[in-house]
Amino acid sequence: MNNNIKIAPSILACNFSKLSEEIIAIEKAGADLIHLDVMDGHFVPNLTFGPPIIKSVRRYSKLVFDTHLMVQNPDDLLEEYANAGSDLITVHVEACNNLVETLERIRSLGCKAGVALKPKTDPLFLTKILDKIDLILVMTVNPGFGGQKFINEMLKKITVVKSLIGSNHIDLEVDGGITQDNAKLVVKAGANILVAGSSIFGNGDEKKYKLNINSMR
Ligand code: DX5
Ligand code: ZN
């Protein structure tokens, strides 16, 4: 077991009809962060939840709330996401009009700032903004839906991003299709935070959450 690896279960795969109970159960099972997938029906075709839902479950967990914004023009609601209790806010580079301003605003709201890369996004621009970010999220599926298959070619991209980070204190989070089988490869490539929905919440059997998390480390 590698305790330097942090596991961030994505509540997208949980049973939304008992969201607070799922969050309590997943924290008890050993999760390190709660990954919150916000989708707007524009940047991605799917639609999920926003600040009111995040705020309503904030009191059920002490874990880091890791808000992944898959929304076009995230700027308008950043304050609401921060006030709802996000500790970390990650935006997609293609969704921002002025990425640096958005990242600075996230930090000024007291949150850590992350940038997400879709599978086709070239990571090279990151070299210019390393001092503006606390986390890089490499997507290993096309954003929008849980339960997709991990794109193997992304392993190489994770190693490229890891070397771009160099000695900077920036987390490397990987999101999409992570399973107990490929987690090791993803970590070997350089990731230190693993997001996983389906392979942790599985068929909703709460008794298995701890095993699902541990076997991913
Ligand atoms: C996809 C989301 C992911 C997703 C991961 O757009 O960003 O966080 O919920 O789910 P799995 O682990 O099922 O691929
Ligand atoms: Zn996500």
Side-chain angles (χ1 to χ4, degrees), residues 111-129:
C111 297
K112 289 192 170 178
V115 175
L117 312 179
K118 292 199 269 189
K120 287 209 170 118
T121 309
D122 187 330
L124 276 182
F125 77 95
L126 291 168
T127 53
K128 292 189 216 127
I129 55 160

Side-chain angles (χ1 to χ4, degrees), residues 10 12 35-39 68 70 137 139 175-176 195:
S10 163
L12 192 60
H35 187 81
L36 302 146
D37 285 308
V38 177
M39 305 187 189
H68 176 191
M70 285 161 273
L137 188 161
M139 297 251 18
D175 184 6
V195 176

Side-chain angles (χ1 to χ4, degrees), residues 8 10-13 35-37 39 44 68 70 92 137 139 141-150 175-179 195-200:
S10 163
I11 60 160
L12 192 60
H35 187 81
L36 302 146
D37 285 308
M39 305 187 189
V44 289
H68 176 191
M70 285 161 273
H92 277 261
L137 188 161
M139 297 251 18
V141 299
N142 282 304
F145 298 92
Q148 303 182 74
K149 196 177 170 315
F150 181 85
D175 184 6
I178 308 287
T179 64
V195 176
S198 322
S199 56
I200 287 181

Side-chain angles (χ1 to χ4, degrees), residues 153-179:
E153 292 74 45
M154 293 300 113
L155 284 171
K156 171 114 196 298
K157 183 165 174 182
I158 300 167
T159 59
V160 169
V161 171
K162 177 69 181 167
S163 68
L164 290 178
I165 291 174
S167 59
N168 290 282
H169 293 287
I170 296 174
D171 286 310
L172 207 178
E173 181 175 54
V174 174
D175 184 6
I178 308 287
T179 64

Side-chain angles (χ1 to χ4, degrees), residues 59 61 63 78 108 125 133 143 157 170 173 184 193 216:
R59 68 193 142 110
S61 173
L63 296 180
L78 288 177
S108 77
F125 77 95
I133 47 182
K157 183 165 174 182
I170 296 174
E173 181 175 54
K184 225 180 191 160
I193 304 178
M216 202 164 270

